[in-house]
Amino acid sequence: MTESKQQQIQHLANIFIQSMPFSRLLQLELEQLSSQSTVIYLPWQQQLVGNPIQQILHGGVISAVLDTVGGLMAAAAFVERQDFDSVTQMQDGLAKLGTIDMRTDYLRPGRGEKFYASAEPIRLGNKVCVCRMELHNEKDVKIAYGTGTYLFG
Amino acid sequence: MTESKQQQIQHLANIFIQSMPFSRLLQLELEQLSSQSTVIYLPWQQQLVGNPIQQILHGGVISAVLDTVGGLMAAAAFVERQDFDSVTQMQDGLAKLGTIDMRTDYLRPGRGEKFYASAEPIRLGNKVCVCRMELHNEKDVKIAYGTGTYLFG
Amino acid sequence: MTESKQQQIQHLANIFIQSMPFSRLLQLELEQLSSQSTVIYLPWQQQLVGNPIQQILHGGVISAVLDTVGGLMAAAAFVERQDFDSVTQMQDGLAKLGTIDMRTDYLRPGRGEKFYASAEPIRLGNKVCVCRMELHNEKDVKIAYGTGTYLFG
Amino acid sequence: MTESKQQQIQHLANIFIQSMPFSRLLQLELEQLSSQSTVIYLPWQQQLVGNPIQQILHGGVISAVLDTVGGLMAAAAFVERQDFDSVTQMQDGLAKLGTIDMRTDYLRPGRGEKFYASAEPIRLGNKVCVCRMELHNEKDVKIAYGTGTYLFG
């Protein structure tokens, strides 16, 4: 991969995290980014609670984080395959990338201080990418699994 | 259904919407609530945007709203079947209700001013409830479908 | 649609039902075929039983029938959009059509004499088609729902 | 675990494989059976073909095998947790075990001579069991992944 391609992939973090208002609201941060394995994390915030008595994350927050890490990994895979002349051209290409469908499996209540979400590709073609995702807390307690299908538009 | 049971069901709106910090962050509102059909809505908010150029809802917000309406309908079905002596007893029973798994199908970009999410039961037993959910905007443009499996803990 | 295109769509029944060994084993029959709504049916066979005491269809048979009707409808939608010069060219195009993922929701035990499966499109693009499917028996008892994502290869 | 409990678990192979007409039609065989990891295999059969030109398994066959291995593992987990006095009592308990929902992800065409399907639990409670399943051929080529939710009735 050319240095320019690596720069393009790193630029994805700006697009998926810093530039997305909802990712900023969740205070998502990038940990690792490649087409083979991508990791982001979510710090605990009181406003993301679903059940106020149990003090656990809302299930929708968990799905949102899993969808984001899967989409980010799919985008890295897409950029790696395509020849973009510039970041602008890359952004145009990515505008058409989207989630087709996603399944979330909730395993345990979302308790913790910091939640790590990772994605790995299970099917990667010219038109679609399917990922498996996983979310655990800072004590490595598994909280949710996901499977997402993404379209290279 | 006794008047008291209807009051219990209406009380669910407090639990799922007013008392949940994340539901308040989304500014969710109740439109209709029963064990056969439940509808909530989400007003547009800039901070819920996924793609800032296209100005569309983040997919995670869509999943969160679908999960909330499905869970609310499952809770209404649960309350209808159980004999709770008091709201406190009902809250204890509901503490164990949770989403087991959920699928979201994204159909169109989340554009609009107001987003209505509805749920209807497709399987209702003593232990689990499966719902189909749907989200459309104020012009009745379908944006996403969902299917969720909920456990009566 | 030209008469030739209608003939091509009708030819799909041969491909998905008569030419597929597993569809013949299931004794599937076509009831209706278009890109908007497709219906097939499965006659009861003792060798398709999952639970011999309850005498109900194996869940895998139900998923297989739902996947077949969804794939057939996706193929009809694909043929309607493409310009194929001949049936041979159409068959080449269809060789790349495949299921990416599918969810089945089992609602009731598979009891009956004849099982009707239908599909309708919920998302239809140039690269993928997403369908909702449903299976009921001859007394209109709903047995299963499905959602499938198909790739136009 | 008492020896009797191990015998009960081994007896599950009879119930899920030898006694189920559809499992016999598929010629399924047991490789390994426990509540932590279960493996079965499917020999190639011409009548299970979906696409006769490509000579690959029908997607419905793949889903059926994944559902069977997931259900078998869920049954082993169920038997391990319950105290059954006899095989008859165990069979009564199992009569209510069923698949609630299942997702299949198709990764590659189903080519090969022998297909191994395995399951592992990702969520195990008193009422439901959620498993991840996987199918590969004799050359360890991954063909499909699955996720299934099973109810202890």
Side-chain angles (χ1 to χ4, degrees):
Chain A
M1 205 185 333
T2 61
E3 195 182 321
S4 145
K5 186 148 285 193
Q6 285 215 1
Q7 288 171 336
Q8 287 177 356
I9 288 178
Q10 291 314 309
H11 189 70
L12 291 171
N14 293 331
I15 298 176
F16 274 76
I17 299 192
Q18 287 86 331
S19 309
M20 276 192 192
F22 189 63
S23 294
R24 283 208 312 271
L25 183 63
L26 296 179
Q27 300 183 4
L28 294 178
E29 296 281 347
L30 182 70
E31 178 97 357
Q32 184 188 325
L33 175 53
S34 85
S35 64
Q36 291 311 303
S37 174
T38 293
V39 183
I40 61 176
Y41 63 87
L42 169 87
W44 172 265
Q45 277 191 73
Q46 187 58 35
Q47 64 180 352
L48 306 182
V49 162
N51 186 320
I53 295 164
Q54 293 195 53
Q55 285 290 305
I56 53 178
L57 288 182
H58 191 285
V61 172
I62 292 170
S63 286
V65 177
L66 291 176
D67 186 25
T68 303
V69 75
L72 185 51
M73 206 223 67
F78 181 58
V79 168
E80 206 173 283
R81 295 183 150 225
Q82 301 286 321
D83 280 318
F84 294 119
D85 290 335
S86 64
V87 164
T88 310
Q89 204 189 49
M90 182 185 80
Q91 283 176 318
D92 289 348
L94 286 172
K96 293 172 205 153
L97 186 145
T99 315
I100 306 175
D101 65 66
M102 184 179 149
R103 173 182 172 115
T104 305
D105 291 283
Y106 297 96
L107 307 180
R108 285 185 195 80
R111 280 196 195 88
E113 293 168 16
K114 214 168 155 184
F115 302 92
Y116 294 84
S118 59
E120 53 165 13
I122 61 172
R123 173 178 177 157
L124 186 48
N126 288 320
K127 295 176 181 174
V128 295
C129 173
V130 185
C131 311
R132 273 189 162 184
M133 291 87 79
E134 177 260 327
L135 185 122
H136 63 266
N137 67 13
E138 77 282 359
K139 293 176 182 163
D140 206 23
V141 176
K142 299 260 183 287
I143 291 168
Y145 280 173
T147 311
T149 300
Y150 299 87
L151 179 68
F152 301 145
Chain B
M1 206 185 332
T2 63
E3 195 182 321
S4 148
K5 187 148 283 194
Q6 286 215 359
Q7 287 170 339
Q8 287 177 357
I9 289 178
Q10 290 314 309
H11 189 72
L12 291 171
N14 294 331
I15 298 177
F16 275 75
I17 299 193
Q18 287 86 330
S19 308
M20 277 192 191
F22 190 63
S23 294
R24 283 207 312 272
L25 184 63
L26 296 180
Q27 301 183 2
L28 293 178
E29 297 280 348
L30 181 70
E31 177 99 357
Q32 182 188 327
L33 174 53
S34 85
S35 64
Q36 291 311 304
S37 174
T38 293
V39 183
I40 60 176
Y41 63 86
L42 170 87
W44 172 264
Q45 277 190 73
Q46 186 59 34
Q47 65 180 352
L48 305 182
V49 161
N51 186 320
I53 296 163
Q54 293 197 52
Q55 285 290 304
I56 53 177
L57 288 182
H58 190 284
V61 172
I62 291 170
S63 286
V65 177
L66 291 176
D67 186 24
T68 303
V69 75
L72 185 51
M73 205 224 69
F78 182 57
V79 168
E80 206 172 283
R81 295 182 149 226
Q82 301 286 321
D83 280 317
F84 294 119
D85 290 334
S86 63
V87 163
T88 310
Q89 205 191 49
M90 182 185 81
Q91 283 175 319
D92 289 348
L94 286 172
K96 295 171 204 152
L97 187 147
T99 315
I100 306 174
D101 66 64
M102 185 180 147
R103 176 183 170 113
T104 305
D105 292 284
Y106 297 96
L107 308 180
R108 285 185 195 79
R111 280 197 195 88
E113 292 168 17
K114 213 168 157 184
F115 302 91
Y116 294 85
S118 59
E120 54 166 13
I122 62 172
R123 174 180 176 156
L124 185 49
N126 288 319
K127 294 174 181 176
V128 296
C129 173
V130 184
C131 312
R132 274 190 162 183
M133 291 86 79
E134 177 259 327
L135 186 124
H136 61 266
N137 68 12
E138 77 282 359
K139 292 177 182 162
D140 206 24
V141 176
K142 299 262 182 286
I143 291 168
Y145 280 173
T147 311
T149 300
Y150 298 88
L151 179 67
F152 300 146
Chain C
M1 208 186 328
T2 63
E3 193 180 324
S4 147
K5 186 147 284 196
Q6 286 215 357
Q7 287 171 339
Q8 287 176 357
I9 288 179
Q10 291 313 309
H11 189 71
L12 291 171
N14 294 331
I15 297 176
F16 274 75
I17 298 192
Q18 287 87 330
S19 309
M20 276 192 192
F22 189 63
S23 294
R24 283 207 312 273
L25 184 64
L26 296 180
Q27 301 183 3
L28 293 177
E29 297 280 348
L30 181 71
E31 178 99 355
Q32 183 188 325
L33 175 52
S34 85
S35 64
Q36 291 310 303
S37 174
T38 293
V39 184
I40 61 177
Y41 63 87
L42 169 87
W44 171 265
Q45 277 190 73
Q46 186 59 35
Q47 65 180 352
L48 305 182
V49 162
N51 186 320
I53 295 164
Q54 293 197 52
Q55 287 288 305
I56 53 177
L57 289 181
H58 192 283
V61 172
I62 291 170
S63 285
V65 178
L66 290 176
D67 185 25
T68 303
V69 75
L72 185 50
M73 205 224 67
F78 181 58
V79 168
E80 206 172 283
R81 294 181 152 229
Q82 301 286 320
D83 279 318
F84 295 119
D85 290 334
S86 64
V87 163
T88 310
Q89 204 190 49
M90 180 185 81
Q91 283 176 319
D92 289 348
L94 286 172
K96 294 172 207 152
L97 186 145
T99 315
I100 305 174
D101 66 66
M102 183 178 149
R103 175 181 171 115
T104 305
D105 292 283
Y106 297 96
L107 307 181
R108 286 185 195 80
R111 282 198 192 87
E113 293 170 15
K114 214 169 156 183
F115 302 92
Y116 294 84
S118 58
E120 53 165 13
I122 61 172
R123 174 177 176 157
L124 186 48
N126 288 321
K127 294 176 181 175
V128 296
C129 172
V130 184
C131 312
R132 274 190 162 181
M133 292 87 79
E134 177 259 328
L135 184 123
H136 62 266
N137 69 11
E138 76 283 358
K139 291 175 183 164
D140 205 22
V141 176
K142 300 262 183 285
I143 291 168
Y145 280 173
T147 311
T149 300
Y150 299 88
L151 179 68
F152 301 145
Chain D
M1 207 186 329
T2 62
E3 197 182 321
S4 147
K5 186 147 283 192
Q6 287 216 358
Q7 288 171 340
Q8 287 176 357
I9 289 178
Q10 291 313 308
H11 189 71
L12 291 171
N14 294 332
I15 297 177
F16 274 75
I17 300 192
Q18 287 86 332
S19 308
M20 276 192 191
F22 190 62
S23 294
R24 284 209 310 273
L25 183 63
L26 296 180
Q27 300 183 2
L28 294 177
E29 297 280 348
L30 181 70
E31 178 97 354
Q32 182 187 326
L33 175 52
S34 85
S35 64
Q36 291 311 302
S37 174
T38 292
V39 183
I40 61 176
Y41 63 85
L42 170 87
W44 171 265
Q45 278 191 74
Q46 187 58 37
Q47 64 180 353
L48 305 182
V49 162
N51 186 319
I53 295 163
Q54 292 196 54
Q55 285 290 304
I56 54 178
L57 288 182
H58 190 284
V61 172
I62 291 170
S63 285
V65 178
L66 291 176
D67 186 24
T68 302
V69 76
L72 185 49
M73 206 225 66
F78 181 57
V79 168
E80 206 172 282
R81 295 182 151 228
Q82 302 286 320
D83 279 318
F84 295 120
D85 290 335
S86 64
V87 163
T88 310
Q89 205 191 49
M90 181 185 81
Q91 284 176 318
D92 289 348
L94 286 171
K96 294 171 204 151
L97 187 147
T99 315
I100 305 175
D101 65 64
M102 185 180 147
R103 174 182 171 114
T104 306
D105 291 283
Y106 297 96
L107 308 180
R108 286 185 194 79
R111 281 198 194 87
E113 292 168 18
K114 214 169 156 181
F115 303 91
Y116 295 84
S118 59
E120 53 165 15
I122 60 171
R123 174 178 177 158
L124 185 49
N126 288 319
K127 295 175 180 174
V128 297
C129 174
V130 184
C131 311
R132 275 191 161 182
M133 292 87 78
E134 176 261 326
L135 186 124
H136 62 266
N137 68 11
E138 77 282 359
K139 292 176 184 164
D140 206 23
V141 176
K142 299 263 183 284
I143 291 168
Y145 279 173
T147 310
T149 300
Y150 298 87
L151 180 67
F152 301 145

